[in-house]
Amino acid sequence: MMDQLVLGAMMFGTTVDEKRAFAILDRFVDAGGIWIDTANCYAFWADPSGFGGQSEALLGRWLARRPGVRDRVALSTKVGCEPLEAGRYPETAEGLAPQTIKNGIEASLRRLGTDRVEMYWAHRDNRRTPIEESVGAFGELVEAGLVGRLGCSNFAVWRLERARRFAADLGVAGYTAVQQHLTYLQPRPGTRPSVVHRFGHLSDEVVSYVESHDDMAMWSYTPLLAGAYTRADKPLAPEYDHPGTQKRLAALDTVAAETGTTRNHVVLAWLTGGCPAAMPIVGPSSVAQLDEAIAAMELKLSPEQRSLLDGAA
């Protein structure tokens, strides 16, 4: 099950210093973890420069100091959200023009110290560039052996489908994964407290699309709501203040008590055991937090427990 858990490296090199990040990465690999997720823009908002690249650069240093580890992990990075001017995001986000995509992968590979990444994402949709131009540029990276697979994050479903159709028409690799926000609790309709991007929420329409396409995978970011399920110092956003939340939290507590685990364990097990399954991206700031996520990969929910969780509303 460790192939379903993704280690989010977003804050590595900024709020998570190198010593702690290396310890987390070492523990992840020792536990059998495979996927490490980052982006070329991480974490521009947390660095005095106002630009990203710190996470990829730290991962590159870690890989360089761990001979043989590169062949044991799969790297996932993104292009499209790096600001072109410090302090002016999203209005100066780089976008998805063909040259931007080409320059993006070259810079990411240089920082990572590798000749390839296993997954490359369009970080968010960009309407300034015709979609067929972006699709063609991404496809060229796969043909060149620089990228294994392609995914899109924070896309509307119709744009995902259109991009995949253009890829098929062009005879190039298309998107085979989506990365959106999904967790167990549901905010009030029309709100998105945990999502910056307009189409960042993993809606039922996205789930339906993945269900209908065997080649599609589903990744979930911020699955644990930055600790709000279990930490008193991390309260839920006001958008979760409705009766459905209390019923869902009660269901989580019931299953956690039955399994001798925690709410976080149950949320991750609910995600990985779903149909379709979601690959949760966890961004721990300590080895202890990572260990909790690793332990959750061993939890299998019974049909009755899943029915209880799914039926709480």
Side-chain angles (χ1 to χ4, degrees):
M1 291 290 287
M2 282 300 293
D3 60 342
Q4 288 186 268
L5 182 68
V6 182
L7 177 62
M10 181 168 67
M11 306 312 299
F12 290 3
T14 49
T15 60
V16 179
D17 62 37
E18 186 157 310
K19 182 178 179 181
R20 280 191 294 150
F22 276 30
I24 292 167
L25 288 159
D26 289 343
R27 173 66 181 126
F28 182 68
V29 172
D30 289 344
I34 298 172
W35 282 102
I36 302 172
D37 183 70
T38 185
N40 69 333
C41 69
Y42 290 164
F44 69 82
W45 59 92
D47 191 81
S49 71
F51 297 102
Q54 299 80 18
S55 174
E56 289 182 333
L58 182 144
L59 289 172
R61 295 192 296 273
W62 174 72
L63 290 168
R65 298 174 194 176
R66 303 291 190 272
V69 167
R70 177 63 186 94
D71 293 332
R72 296 169 56 190
V73 298
L75 298 177
S76 159
T77 193
K78 313 178 192 73
V79 66
C81 284
E82 171 71 348
L84 299 179
E85 295 181 33
R88 297 192 62 211
Y89 178 88
E91 60 267 31
T92 69
E94 61 188 345
L96 296 173
Q99 192 61 46
T100 299
I101 292 168
K102 181 177 183 294
N103 292 344
I105 193 63
E106 291 175 351
S108 288
L109 294 177
R110 184 170 61 252
R111 284 188 291 265
L112 291 164
T114 187
D115 61 356
R116 71 196 188 281
V117 294
E118 282 68 30
M119 180 76 82
Y120 200 41
W121 303 85
H123 203 157
R124 70 167 190 167
D125 196 8
N126 184 281
R127 309 292 174 89
R128 295 195 305 265
T129 301
I131 199 166
E132 62 269 28
E133 294 182 13
S134 299
V135 166
F138 277 118
E140 289 177 7
L141 301 183
V142 176
E143 292 176 0
L146 302 177
V147 172
R149 290 174 56 196
L150 299 167
C152 63
S153 183
N154 308 304
F155 269 53
V157 173
W158 72 270
R159 294 282 288 177
L160 163 62
E161 172 60 21
R162 181 167 293 183
R164 279 166 55 89
R165 174 49 52 196
F166 273 123
D169 291 344
L170 292 170
V172 300
Y175 299 135
T176 58
V178 293
Q179 184 178 144
Q180 318 281 89
H181 167 64
L182 177 66
T183 188
Y184 178 62
L185 292 184
Q186 300 172 350
R188 287 196 301 272
T191 65
R192 45 189 173 96
S194 303
V195 179
V196 172
H197 306 283
R198 179 181 180 189
F199 295 105
H201 179 67
L202 208 160
S203 66
D204 191 51
E205 189 173 15
V206 178
V207 173
S208 176
Y209 188 90
V210 174
E211 285 176 332
S212 302
H213 296 82
D214 293 338
D215 63 331
M216 291 294 298
M218 193 165 71
W219 293 32
S220 164
Y221 64 75
T222 323
L224 299 179
L225 297 177
Y229 281 106
T230 58
R231 293 175 54 178
D233 63 324
K234 298 280 188 176
L236 290 167
E239 290 82 358
Y240 291 102
D241 186 12
H242 59 83
T245 292
Q246 300 310 311
K247 293 178 181 178
R248 290 212 144 200
L249 289 177
L252 280 181
D253 289 337
T254 296
V255 176
E258 290 177 355
T259 56
T261 59
T262 68
R263 287 178 177 176
N264 284 347
H265 285 88
V266 177
V267 171
L268 293 177
W270 179 78
L271 288 167
T272 58
C275 187
M279 293 174 59
I281 306 169
V282 296
S285 57
S286 68
V287 171
Q289 290 176 358
L290 174 61
D291 281 341
E292 182 178 29
I294 291 171
M297 295 300 99
E298 299 298 321
L299 178 60
K300 302 293 188 296
L301 301 177
S302 69
E304 294 77 16
Q305 289 166 341
R306 179 161 289 277
S307 178
L308 173 65
L309 293 168
D310 291 342

Short mmCIF file of all heavy atoms in Angstrom, two decimals, residues 16 39 47 59 72 101 113 115-116 163 166 181 186 228 248 251 259 284 292-293 300 311 313:
data_model
loop_
_atom_site.label_atom_id
_atom_site.label_comp_id
_atom_site.label_asym_id
_atom_site.label_seq_id
_atom_site.Cartn_x
_atom_site.Cartn_y
_atom_site.Cartn_z
N VAL A 16 10.24 23.89 6.20
CA VAL A 16 10.84 22.63 6.68
C VAL A 16 12.31 22.65 6.26
O VAL A 16 12.62 22.58 5.07
CB VAL A 16 10.13 21.39 6.10
CG1 VAL A 16 10.80 20.11 6.60
CG2 VAL A 16 8.65 21.40 6.47
N ALA A 39 6.83 20.87 -7.02
CA ALA A 39 6.50 21.74 -8.15
C ALA A 39 7.60 22.77 -8.30
O ALA A 39 8.30 23.10 -7.34
CB ALA A 39 5.15 22.43 -7.93
N ASP A 47 9.37 32.09 0.66
CA ASP A 47 10.78 32.43 0.49
C ASP A 47 10.92 33.94 0.29
O ASP A 47 10.11 34.55 -0.41
CB ASP A 47 11.36 31.69 -0.72
CG ASP A 47 12.87 31.80 -0.79
OD1 ASP A 47 13.54 31.03 -0.07
OD2 ASP A 47 13.38 32.66 -1.53
N LEU A 59 15.43 18.49 -2.85
CA LEU A 59 15.34 17.10 -3.28
C LEU A 59 16.56 16.70 -4.09
O LEU A 59 17.07 15.57 -3.97
CB LEU A 59 14.06 16.89 -4.10
CG LEU A 59 12.74 16.95 -3.33
CD1 LEU A 59 11.56 16.92 -4.29
CD2 LEU A 59 12.64 15.81 -2.32
N ARG A 72 14.86 4.14 -6.63
CA ARG A 72 13.85 3.59 -5.73
C ARG A 72 12.64 4.52 -5.57
O ARG A 72 11.64 4.13 -4.96
CB ARG A 72 14.46 3.33 -4.35
CG ARG A 72 15.56 2.28 -4.37
CD ARG A 72 16.32 2.24 -3.04
NE ARG A 72 15.45 2.01 -1.90
CZ ARG A 72 15.85 2.14 -0.62
NH1 ARG A 72 17.09 2.53 -0.35
NH2 ARG A 72 15.01 1.90 0.36
N ILE A 101 6.72 25.43 -20.87
CA ILE A 101 6.75 24.01 -20.48
C ILE A 101 8.14 23.44 -20.71
O ILE A 101 8.69 22.73 -19.85
CB ILE A 101 5.68 23.23 -21.28
CG1 ILE A 101 4.28 23.67 -20.85
CG2 ILE A 101 5.86 21.74 -21.11
CD1 ILE A 101 3.17 23.19 -21.75
N GLY A 113 18.59 17.37 -10.22
CA GLY A 113 19.80 16.60 -10.50
C GLY A 113 19.51 15.26 -11.13
O GLY A 113 20.18 14.26 -10.85
N ASP A 115 17.72 13.13 -14.88
CA ASP A 115 17.47 13.27 -16.32
C ASP A 115 16.03 12.99 -16.69
O ASP A 115 15.68 13.01 -17.86
CB ASP A 115 18.40 12.35 -17.11
CG ASP A 115 18.18 10.87 -16.78
OD1 ASP A 115 17.37 10.56 -15.87
OD2 ASP A 115 18.84 10.02 -17.41
N ARG A 116 15.18 12.80 -15.68
CA ARG A 116 13.78 12.46 -15.98
C ARG A 116 12.93 12.65 -14.72
O ARG A 116 13.46 12.65 -13.60
CB ARG A 116 13.65 10.99 -16.42
CG ARG A 116 13.87 10.01 -15.28
CD ARG A 116 14.14 8.59 -15.70
NE ARG A 116 14.16 7.68 -14.56
CZ ARG A 116 15.19 7.54 -13.72
NH1 ARG A 116 16.29 8.29 -13.86
NH2 ARG A 116 15.14 6.68 -12.72
N ALA A 163 -8.34 18.32 -23.60
CA ALA A 163 -6.90 18.12 -23.70
C ALA A 163 -6.57 16.69 -24.10
O ALA A 163 -5.70 16.43 -24.95
CB ALA A 163 -6.22 18.47 -22.38
N PHE A 166 -7.35 16.23 -27.82
CA PHE A 166 -6.30 16.81 -28.66
C PHE A 166 -5.06 15.91 -28.67
O PHE A 166 -4.43 15.73 -29.71
CB PHE A 166 -5.92 18.21 -28.17
CG PHE A 166 -6.78 19.31 -28.74
CD1 PHE A 166 -7.48 20.17 -27.90
CD2 PHE A 166 -6.89 19.50 -30.11
CE1 PHE A 166 -8.27 21.19 -28.41
CE2 PHE A 166 -7.67 20.51 -30.64
CZ PHE A 166 -8.37 21.36 -29.79
N HIS A 181 -8.04 18.60 -4.72
CA HIS A 181 -8.23 18.48 -3.27
C HIS A 181 -9.41 17.56 -2.98
O HIS A 181 -10.51 17.74 -3.51
CB HIS A 181 -8.50 19.85 -2.65
CG HIS A 181 -9.00 19.77 -1.25
ND1 HIS A 181 -8.25 19.25 -0.21
CD2 HIS A 181 -10.20 20.13 -0.70
CE1 HIS A 181 -8.95 19.30 0.91
NE2 HIS A 181 -10.14 19.82 0.64
N GLN A 186 -16.90 17.63 4.05
CA GLN A 186 -17.39 18.40 2.91
C GLN A 186 -17.80 19.79 3.38
O GLN A 186 -18.62 19.93 4.29
CB GLN A 186 -18.59 17.71 2.27
CG GLN A 186 -18.27 16.31 1.76
CD GLN A 186 -19.50 15.56 1.28
OE1 GLN A 186 -20.63 16.00 1.50
NE2 GLN A 186 -19.29 14.43 0.63
N ALA A 228 -6.34 19.59 10.88
CA ALA A 228 -7.56 20.01 11.55
C ALA A 228 -8.39 18.84 12.09
O ALA A 228 -9.23 19.05 12.97
CB ALA A 228 -8.42 20.86 10.62
N ARG A 248 -20.29 13.51 10.19
CA ARG A 248 -19.11 12.85 9.59
C ARG A 248 -18.01 12.67 10.63
O ARG A 248 -17.33 11.64 10.64
CB ARG A 248 -18.62 13.65 8.39
CG ARG A 248 -19.57 13.56 7.20
CD ARG A 248 -18.85 13.61 5.87
NE ARG A 248 -19.52 12.74 4.91
CZ ARG A 248 -18.99 12.25 3.81
NH1 ARG A 248 -17.73 12.53 3.51
NH2 ARG A 248 -19.66 11.46 3.01
N ALA A 251 -18.90 9.73 12.69
CA ALA A 251 -18.62 8.47 11.99
C ALA A 251 -17.13 8.16 12.02
O ALA A 251 -16.72 7.00 12.24
CB ALA A 251 -19.12 8.55 10.55
N THR A 259 -11.23 0.51 15.31
CA THR A 259 -9.96 0.04 14.75
C THR A 259 -8.76 0.38 15.63
O THR A 259 -7.63 -0.01 15.31
CB THR A 259 -9.74 0.65 13.35
OG1 THR A 259 -9.80 2.08 13.43
CG2 THR A 259 -10.79 0.16 12.38
N PRO A 284 4.11 16.10 5.66
CA PRO A 284 4.52 16.16 7.07
C PRO A 284 5.66 17.14 7.29
O PRO A 284 6.51 17.35 6.42
CB PRO A 284 4.97 14.73 7.36
CG PRO A 284 5.47 14.22 6.04
CD PRO A 284 4.55 14.84 5.03
N GLU A 292 2.58 8.48 11.21
CA GLU A 292 1.14 8.28 11.34
C GLU A 292 0.53 7.96 9.97
O GLU A 292 -0.32 7.06 9.86
CB GLU A 292 0.48 9.52 11.92
CG GLU A 292 -1.03 9.33 12.11
CD GLU A 292 -1.72 10.53 12.71
OE1 GLU A 292 -1.25 11.67 12.52
OE2 GLU A 292 -2.76 10.33 13.38
N ALA A 293 0.98 8.65 8.94
CA ALA A 293 0.46 8.39 7.59
C ALA A 293 0.88 7.01 7.11
O ALA A 293 0.11 6.29 6.47
CB ALA A 293 0.95 9.47 6.62
N LYS A 300 -7.32 -1.38 6.82
CA LYS A 300 -8.33 -1.78 5.83
C LYS A 300 -9.71 -1.65 6.47
O LYS A 300 -9.99 -2.28 7.50
CB LYS A 300 -8.10 -3.23 5.38
CG LYS A 300 -6.72 -3.50 4.79
CD LYS A 300 -6.53 -2.79 3.47
CE LYS A 300 -5.24 -3.23 2.79
NZ LYS A 300 -4.02 -2.87 3.56
N GLY A 311 -22.27 6.91 4.40
CA GLY A 311 -23.66 7.28 4.64
C GLY A 311 -23.85 8.47 5.57
O GLY A 311 -24.96 8.99 5.70
N ALA A 313 -24.06 12.06 6.56
CA ALA A 313 -24.25 13.32 5.84
C ALA A 313 -25.19 14.24 6.61
O ALA A 313 -25.91 13.80 7.48
CB ALA A 313 -24.83 13.04 4.44
#
